[in-house]
């Protein structure tokens, strides 16, 4: 294995990441306002901004799903138990003793096992749940005459809020982990420049040097 600086975050992935972060922040801000936790935005404009932002995020996610499927980058999210215990132990105990992170990034495995599992859970469960409940809530006028519609709306609204809080928890933990181990700048820099340090096999290094030299530094 050779350690090299490799562009593992293409331009679209970085755009998707930061745009998604901005849209989720706006949704949390307007959502908390709609729940009455702050009054920094009037109710009507908050509803309008929340709805437009949610639709923009859905469009972004559709493009992101298409990009992941057509570029093969979905492989980074395939869960594995190999090294999972070591990474979990690192975040639970070893990180407080100043130990080094046990995971080394690979060309086709840039997320550690715990990251891959967490991101996959977000994409398979939390994000679809927030889509479905949000769309059901938004289209209530179309099914309000169905039996027990008001009870269903209450359940849907509570589920929507619960999932939103779970996503907010992920955001807080995600940002917190950027402050441990390496410096905050070192953690964030790859998602700005696209380049990160990864271990390459001789075959991967030869392939990149010959076919995609722009991805090597």
């Amino acid at each position: 294995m050779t350690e090299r600086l490799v562009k593992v975050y293409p331009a679209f992935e970085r755009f998707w990441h930061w745009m998604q972060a901005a849209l989720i922040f706006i949704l949390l801000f307007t959502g908390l306002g709609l729940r009455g936790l702050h009054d920094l935005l009037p109710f009507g404009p908050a509803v309008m901004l929340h709805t437009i932002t949610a639709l923009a995020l859905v469009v972004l996610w559709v493009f992101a799903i298409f990009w992941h499927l057509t570029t093969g980058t979905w492989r980074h999210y395939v869960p594995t138990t190999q090294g999972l215990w070591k990474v979990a132990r690192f975040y639970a105990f070893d990180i407080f003793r100043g130990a080094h992170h046990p995971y080394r990034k690979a060309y086709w495995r840039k997320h550690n096992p715990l990251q891959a599992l967490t991101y996959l859970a977000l994409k398979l469960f939390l994000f679809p749940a927030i889509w479905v409940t949000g769309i059901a809530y938004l289209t209530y006028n179309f099914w309000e005459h169905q039996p027990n519609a008001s009870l269903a709306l209450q359940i849907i609204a509570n589920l929507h809020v619960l999932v939103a809080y779970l996503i907010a928890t992920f955001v807080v933990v995600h940002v917190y982990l950027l402050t441990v181990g390496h410096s905050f700048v070192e953690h964030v820099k790859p998602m700005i420049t696209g380049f990160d340090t990864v271990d390459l096999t001789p075959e991967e290094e030869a392939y990149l040097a010959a076919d995609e030299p722009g991805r090597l530094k």
Side-chain angles (χ1 to χ4, degrees), residues 2-159:
T2 304
E3 193 176 80
R4 296 288 302 268
L5 267 178
V6 182
K7 183 182 280 187
V8 290
Y9 300 105
F12 176 78
E13 187 170 8
R14 283 174 279 148
F15 166 78
W16 160 61
H17 175 270
W18 292 115
M19 184 60 70
Q20 177 178 253
L23 293 173
I24 288 177
F25 177 79
I26 294 172
L27 286 168
L28 290 174
F29 173 75
T30 53
L32 290 174
L34 295 174
R35 295 284 296 172
L37 297 179
H38 68 76
D39 57 357
L40 298 174
L41 199 63
F43 187 83
V47 171
M48 180 65 71
L49 182 57
H50 195 81
T51 303
I52 292 173
T53 305
L55 294 175
L57 186 56
V58 169
V59 172
L60 180 66
W61 279 341
V62 169
F63 276 104
I65 290 170
F66 178 78
W67 179 80
H68 278 92
L69 292 177
T70 55
T71 60
T73 47
W74 56 269
R75 295 186 183 92
H76 292 287
Y77 302 94
V78 176
T80 177
T81 57
Q82 187 175 358
L84 178 61
W85 168 244
K86 288 183 179 178
V87 174
R89 178 191 168 98
F90 170 77
Y91 285 118
F93 304 107
D94 295 343
I95 194 172
F96 301 108
R97 297 187 295 135
H100 292 290
H101 200 294
Y103 186 73
R104 302 289 299 172
K105 290 185 179 181
Y107 180 58
W108 275 112
R109 200 72 195 180
K110 61 189 175 189
H111 300 313
N112 69 54
L114 196 57
Q115 276 181 305
L117 195 61
T118 303
Y119 295 159
L120 188 67
L122 272 173
K123 294 172 189 297
L124 291 185
F125 301 108
L126 294 188
F127 287 170
I130 206 80
W131 283 19
V132 172
T133 54
I135 292 172
Y137 199 96
L138 190 64
T139 59
Y140 175 67
N141 289 341
F142 293 98
W143 54 273
E144 62 179 330
H145 300 298
Q146 299 298 319
N148 300 317
S150 59
L151 175 61
L153 180 65
Q154 189 175 357
I155 294 172
I156 288 168
N158 287 330
L159 282 174

Side-chain angles (χ1 to χ4, degrees), residues 188-208:
V188 173
K189 190 176 178 181
M191 196 47 81
I192 296 174
T193 65
F195 285 91
D196 202 357
T197 303
V198 302
D199 288 337
L200 295 177
T201 63
E203 293 79 12
E204 289 170 342
E205 189 175 21
Y207 162 75
L208 289 172

